[in-house]
Amino acid sequence: MLWWIGNLILLLVVVPVAVALLNRVLAAVERIRKAGDDILAGGVAAAGALESTPELLATTDRSIEAVADGAVRYAGSVGKLLGPEED
């Protein structure tokens, strides 16, 4: 008789509680998986945006060299206009 009562309690109390807890855990795992997929998609998009970085840096280097050359020429012209310094 006690065996049947134990089986009945197991079926009516323990199994539904275990199923409810498992359902909550699986829902959390699914949310984590979706967040991980979103992070991966964002990372792939960011990596794709960085593919042109070397070419852009080369363009920046050329622009800096051109500005530096212009600044040197400008300073030389200003120096000639002002004349030599007298001590």
Side-chain angles (χ1 to χ4, degrees):
M1 179 71 171
L2 289 175
W3 180 256
W4 290 105
I5 293 172
N7 286 339
L8 189 62
I9 290 174
L10 180 68
L11 286 174
L12 297 177
V13 177
V14 175
V15 170
V17 169
V19 169
L21 291 174
L22 181 61
N23 189 23
R24 289 184 64 176
V25 168
L26 291 176
V29 167
E30 187 62 29
R31 287 192 306 270
I32 291 169
R33 186 170 92 33
K34 182 169 178 357
D37 290 344
D38 292 344
I39 291 169
L40 178 63
V44 168
L50 295 175
E51 287 179 3
S52 63
T53 301
E55 294 87 17
L56 294 173
L57 288 174
T59 302
T60 302
D61 286 343
R62 287 190 300 272
S63 298
I64 289 171
E65 288 174 7
V67 169
D69 290 342
V72 168
R73 284 194 310 258
Y74 177 76
S77 298
V78 170
K80 287 179 184 177
L81 288 174
L82 294 177
E85 288 186 26
E86 294 181 24
D87 292 331

